[in-house]
Amino acid sequence: MIVVTGATGNVGRPLTLALAEAGQQVTAVSRHAAQLPDGVRHMAADLTAPTGLEPALAGAKALFLLLSGDLHAATARPADIIGQAEAAGVRRVVLLSTQGVATRPFGATRIAVRAVEDALRESSLEWAILRPGGFASNALWWAESVRTQRLVAAPFGDVGVPIIDPVDIAEAAAACLLEDRHAGGIYELTGPQVITPRQQAEAISAALGTPVRFHELTRDEAKAAMARSMPAELAEDTLTILGSPNPAELRISPDVQRILGRAPHPFAAWAARNIAAFR
């Protein structure tokens, strides 16, 4: 049995599907009910509760641990989940961390994530750590404005980073859960090219077959919008990376190729696959 946390999200959903298609028994964990592949067991759980994940871990051999926004709350203790996995007899944990642990290690959010990484490395478990950069699926923030106004509004229109398709993260996670050769691996996951918000808008426009305008937001306008759906500190950190990426954040990592034997998907492929959200 493999337990997948965040099973309804942009990474968890394709990961659950990939594991089910590989013939694995999967327990999909999320806060709310979800449509899942046939044969996948669902369990609702609050990972911020002290014992929230314990029922799902019973009988599990592996765990995919995604540090959702809730697990960054001041009262959350995500490192305790590592101890719960050990106590339940789980053999392997694949942790979805963040690139910022290495590229900007001193922010409060990255310090908290680093603590979970450290707890995992110091445990008796087999482990692998995935550190993705920005997600292509963050473009879904623009879906409503593209549908209603054919408009993308974003800050730093001509500053790019090598964002990654969540399906590539999911497939890398599946490989790390299933293949012994990835034990002890720490992988930085990026897309195949640096791409700016303006270029993303152009890719969405091409996939739609209709013009999409681009409007550049100020940093303050973008922070106000982002703060509606994430902690203000996380919004500030995100904007700093998007506006002034450092050399490490601009690097194209070879790790998707190393894990999967193929190049990561470009943003245009993600846009084409998800274009229904923008119609």
Side-chain angles (χ1 to χ4, degrees):
M1 177 70 71
I2 299 176
V3 175
V4 176
T5 62
T8 60
N10 291 314
V11 174
R13 189 182 300 276
L15 172 58
T16 298
L17 179 60
L19 293 172
E21 289 180 342
Q24 299 295 314
Q25 291 183 302
V26 182
T27 294
V29 176
S30 64
R31 279 184 173 272
H32 306 292
Q35 288 187 326
L36 297 166
D38 290 343
V40 172
R41 180 178 69 157
H42 179 262
M43 292 191 70
D46 179 359
L47 271 61
T48 65
T51 59
L53 194 57
E54 287 182 1
L57 293 174
K61 66 177 182 179
L63 166 67
F64 173 72
L65 180 57
L66 182 151
L67 298 177
S68 66
D70 289 344
L71 289 176
H72 296 304
T75 56
R77 298 176 58 89
D80 289 353
I81 296 173
I82 306 303
Q84 293 172 21
E86 284 186 289
V90 172
R91 183 168 62 90
R92 179 175 296 169
V93 172
V94 174
L95 173 66
L96 187 63
S97 181
T98 175
Q99 182 189 54
V101 166
T103 62
R104 296 179 189 258
F106 301 113
T109 299
R110 269 92 62 193
I111 289 170
V113 176
R114 168 70 78 174
V116 182
E117 287 193 7
D118 290 345
L120 182 56
R121 284 196 294 263
E122 292 164 6
S123 74
S124 62
L125 298 160
E126 294 180 8
W127 53 266
I129 295 171
L130 305 180
R131 292 176 176 169
F135 285 24
S137 53
N138 289 343
L140 292 170
W141 290 342
W142 307 327
E144 182 178 359
S145 66
V146 172
R147 286 195 304 267
T148 59
Q149 304 173 62
R150 292 293 187 253
L151 172 70
V152 166
F156 317 120
D158 298 306
V159 180
V161 291
I163 57 177
I164 184 164
D165 188 328
V167 166
D168 290 333
I169 302 172
E171 291 186 13
C176 290
L177 287 163
L178 298 175
E179 299 173 14
D180 292 343
R181 68 188 179 98
H182 298 298
I186 299 176
Y187 297 110
E188 180 182 4
L189 305 181
T190 73
Q193 62 200 138
V194 171
I195 184 168
T196 69
R198 195 183 306 276
Q199 290 167 332
Q200 291 175 61
E202 292 169 356
I204 293 168
S205 175
L208 278 172
T210 191
V212 172
R213 294 178 295 120
F214 182 83
H215 171 69
E216 185 159 352
L217 298 174
T218 67
R219 185 187 180 105
D220 287 345
E221 289 170 337
K223 183 178 179 181
M226 294 168 69
R228 300 187 196 111
S229 58
M230 66 176 67
E233 182 181 17
L234 183 57
E236 186 68 36
D237 281 352
T238 301
L239 287 167
T240 297
I241 294 169
L242 293 176
S244 302
N246 62 37
E249 289 156 349
L250 292 170
R251 186 179 81 96
I252 308 299
S253 169
D255 286 350
V256 170
Q257 179 79 46
R258 186 174 297 156
I259 296 170
L260 300 179
R262 63 161 178 82
H265 295 117
F267 178 81
W270 177 90
R273 196 173 65 249
N274 292 274
I275 200 60
F278 299 91
R279 291 198 186 281

